Structure formats: structure tokens, C-alpha cells
Amino acid sequence: MGGQQVLRSWLVFDLTQSELALGMISAVVAVPMLLMAPIGGAVADRLDRRRLVAGGQAVVVAAEAAVLGLLVAGVLVYWHLLVLAAVMGVVFPFIMPARQAIVADVVGRDRMSNAMALNMAAVNTTRVLGPAAGGFLIGAVGLGRAYGINVGLFIAALSFMGGVRPSKAAGDSRSLSMRRNIADGFRYVGENRLVLVLLFFGLVPMFLALPFQSLLVVFARDVWDAGPQGFGMLSASAGVGGVVGAVIVAWRSSSRRRLRTMMVSVFGFGVALLLFALSPSFWLALPLAFLATLFVSLFGALNNTAIQLLIPDRVRGRVSSFLMMSFSLPLLGTLPVSAVAEVWGAPIAVAGGSVLAVVAAVVFYLASPALRQMDQRILEAIDQPGGPEPC
């Protein structure tokens, strides 16, 4: 997926020369993700999660193979990418909640913080290797061959699912109708104020992290004239920051000051992103991309882990689907940021958004007593194996 981000962004910009087209790709992924997420979470609480993930990955392989076939045949056009990106948007809401729930099934609540952080570190490691390799391969062997190599990696990922043991459905979910499963998930989130606040608070940096990453190709090509290799280096630098941030969370998983670290991370992200957007030099921008993603990785790992620690096992898949919805909304945010970049340039769009992120974080903190009590609530949840009930 790290390689796909670079290859598809380069392909879209090569076909269209439009920042708005990059935002449209993100939007057509986000809309079905947003609509299908509650269904995906309910299914993850009813079926074998391993089979669900493997089936979704098989659809991803087919979609990527279709892009490769059209590209090699020389008939690929922009609307093909829009359609196939929408297919990916439908599949992800079934894969991701099941993945999150499998982590909890494997490690249990006591080791959840370490597991979630290490899982994020592994994902971010691929964000280092994938973009760096993708940017290098575009220049070395051409876009078509690079895309073919990436399709092969998707096939390898699917084959590895055979080593995962079956993961049973949670609680009495299978005895309930799909409609009641979905309603039960919404009811739980509505009754648990802290979980609801964390779901929305998690959007603050993500509304900028994803648009910033989508526009890296614009910074590499048009702002600093760094070419595909520079694009790969920027993406890899961002990926390294994500790995380091996740490892720090795993290392300090027992910290009792999670909220303070989250707030510092939002401020650090906003400042680093502002300096990145205004950087006059590609080489100065590399460490700033590293710092920005380090801080957003710290925040994301702590926010997601807090939610997983607070929720009971019986609704884990469904609440994980709400995390997927919170991931899709920032993808929609890529569209207006890209539109601003189209008119006033990517630096202004990203710089303005970084200031808004800091302001929004302060508003969340001051307006939510439940958020300010987060650390105490997590300690209570860790001591209660089944997870706290709504209050």
C-alpha cells in the first residue's frame, strides 16, 4: 500500500497535471468507506475475521491487476482509476475493522498498547520501504514495470493470510440481525461520551496528514523540482517518522500521561507541517516531513489505543468500523485542500491547514471534560478485563 500511494499519485498527476485530480481519487475512496463502515464493522463481529480480511485482499489484488492491465495495454485513462479506487473504498471497511479486532484477539487487553503501537510501526515501515522503492523504480524501470512489481507484493500479502488462525465472532453478535448489530454499535458510541470524543478528536491531525501526503507529489515536482526520486525520498522520510513515532508509543506503553503526549504531538505536528510548507529547500523539507509524521504517528497510536482499551470486546469490530469512518472523513478533506492548492498553490494550502489543526486541538481540550479525564478512565479500563460499560 505504501508503494501504491506513490505509484498511483504519480500516475494520476502524469495523466492529468491537476492537484484537484489527486483530491478526487481520495474522495472516491472516502465516500464508500464512510457509507460502508458500519456494515463492515457489524460483519467483522459476526464472521471469521481471517476469511473476511483474505476475501477483501483478493478484491484488492483484482483491482490492482486491472489497473496494471489497462496501463500495459496503453488504454488507461483517469476515469478508470476513479472507478477502481471506488472499489477499494468499498472493500477497506470490511478489511480494516477485522484487522483491528484480530490484533485484540491475539494479544488480549493487557498487551494492547504494545501490540497496537508495534502494528503501526510495522505499517509505517512499509511506508518507508514502499514509497522509496516506488519512486526509485519509476525512474529506473518505468511506471508499468514498477506497478507490476507492486501487484506482486499485493499477491504475496494475500498468501500470508494463510498463516493466520481463524478468529471467531464476538459474543452474541451472530444471533442478532445485521440491523440490530449496527444499531447496537451506534448506541454504544452514543452512550460513551469519551469514546465519541476520541473518535472526533482523532480527526484533527488526520484532516491534514492525509492531504499533506497526497500533495507530496506536487511539492516534489512543482515546488522543489526533485523528480520521482525526490518524491520517493519525501514519502520515505515521512514513513520513517511514522515508524519512530509508533515505536516510541510501544516503548512508553505504560505511560500514565497519554493525553499530555497527544496534545504535545498535535502542536508539534502543526508547527513541523507549517515549516515544511514554507520551506525554500527540498533538503530542509526532508527532516520536517519526518518530524510532522513522527508527531502524527504518536497522536494516532495513542488515540486508537485509548479507544481499543476503553471498549468492551463485544463491540470491538463495530467501534473499529467507526475508526474507519473517521479515517474516511480526512480523505474527503483532501478534496478541498487540493482545490485550494489548485488555486493558490500547495504551500499555502498546507500552511493554512496546519494552523487550523492546532486551533482545533485547543478547542477540543477546553470544551471536553471527558477528554481531560481520559488518563484516569484508561487506568480503570485496564483493571476491568471486559472493558467498561457506557457511562
Side-chain angles (χ1 to χ4, degrees):
M1 290 180 65
Q4 180 199 48
Q5 180 181 353
V6 169
L7 296 170
R8 182 161 290 180
S9 295
W10 191 269
L11 181 57
V12 167
F13 203 61
D14 192 51
L15 288 172
T16 65
Q17 302 298 313
S18 169
E19 291 88 344
L20 186 59
L22 293 168
M24 285 294 294
I25 287 288
S26 295
V28 298
V29 174
V31 171
M33 280 175 60
L34 185 63
L35 297 176
M36 299 297 294
I39 299 174
V43 171
D45 279 339
R46 292 168 63 92
L47 303 180
D48 177 2
R49 291 158 177 166
R50 180 192 63 172
R51 291 184 179 180
L52 187 58
V53 173
Q57 288 188 188
V59 176
V60 171
V61 168
E64 287 299 285
V67 172
L68 177 61
L70 292 168
L71 179 61
V72 171
V75 296
L76 182 69
V77 294
Y78 177 59
W79 73 264
H80 292 149
L81 296 173
L82 287 174
V83 171
L84 292 168
V87 171
M88 306 277 271
V90 171
V91 172
F92 282 150
F94 292 89
I95 296 177
M96 302 312 291
R99 273 191 192 280
Q100 294 277 2
I102 285 174
V103 172
D105 292 341
V106 170
V107 305
R109 185 175 298 276
D110 291 343
R111 293 180 290 180
M112 184 80 73
S113 295
N114 299 75
M116 295 290 291
L118 290 172
N119 184 55
M120 183 170 286
V123 170
N124 284 322
T125 299
T126 67
R127 288 181 54 212
V128 177
L129 301 178
F136 171 78
L137 288 171
I138 291 173
V141 300
L143 184 58
R145 289 188 177 90
Y147 217 101
I149 292 170
N150 209 54
V151 171
L153 293 175
F154 273 111
I155 294 171
L158 175 59
S159 70
F160 292 149
M161 284 304 299
V164 180
R165 289 181 291 182
S167 178
K168 63 182 181 180
D172 59 353
S173 333
R174 299 185 66 175
S175 64
L176 301 177
S177 68
M178 181 68 72
R179 182 180 62 82
R180 288 188 61 188
N181 264 295
I182 295 172
D184 189 40
F186 275 102
R187 186 181 304 111
Y188 174 82
V189 171
E191 292 173 350
N192 194 310
R193 178 63 60 85
L194 179 54
V195 172
L196 182 63
V197 169
L198 286 171
L199 285 169
F200 281 100
F201 189 41
L203 296 175
V204 172
M206 291 303 292
F207 260 113
L208 287 170
L210 291 178
F212 148 68
Q213 291 169 10
S214 296
L215 291 172
L216 284 179
V217 62
V218 182
F219 280 98
R221 287 187 57 161
D222 293 353
V223 178
W224 298 307
D225 194 25
Q229 286 80 10
F231 180 32
M233 291 174 67
L234 281 173
S235 299
S237 181
V240 171
V243 173
V244 173
V247 169
I248 290 173
V249 173
W251 176 43
R252 296 179 55 83
S253 62
S254 60
S255 173
R256 295 172 178 262
R257 297 181 175 181
R258 297 167 186 263
L259 181 59
R260 186 181 71 174
T261 305
M262 288 170 64
M263 294 301 299
V264 170
S265 298
V266 174
F267 275 91
F269 171 68
V271 171
L273 195 60
L274 175 64
L275 295 175
F276 171 88
L278 301 179
S279 173
S281 163
F282 169 78
W283 296 107
L284 178 60
L286 283 176
L288 291 170
F290 166 84
L291 287 174
T293 51
L294 182 152
F295 283 121
V296 82
S297 177
L298 277 173
F299 178 90
L302 288 169
N303 187 77
N304 291 353
T305 302
I307 292 172
Q308 294 292 341
L309 287 170
L310 287 166
I311 61 179
D313 295 333
R314 66 180 179 84
V315 294
R316 192 170 302 281
R318 280 159 285 180
V319 175
S320 294
S321 75
F322 296 131
L323 282 170
M324 172 60 62
M325 293 176 73
S326 70
F327 180 78
S328 66
L329 286 171
L331 282 174
L332 287 175
T334 302
L335 187 58
V337 172
S338 300
V340 172
E342 183 98 357
V343 178
W344 288 293
I348 292 178
V350 173
S354 65
V355 176
L356 291 177
V358 173
V359 172
V362 172
V363 171
F364 260 96
Y365 182 82
L366 295 177
S368 175
L371 180 62
R372 296 195 295 272
Q373 297 170 5
M374 185 190 82
D375 290 334
Q376 180 60 37
R377 288 285 307 279
I378 289 176
L379 289 175
E380 294 170 0
I382 292 173
D383 293 334
Q384 188 174 348
E389 288 303 312
C391 63

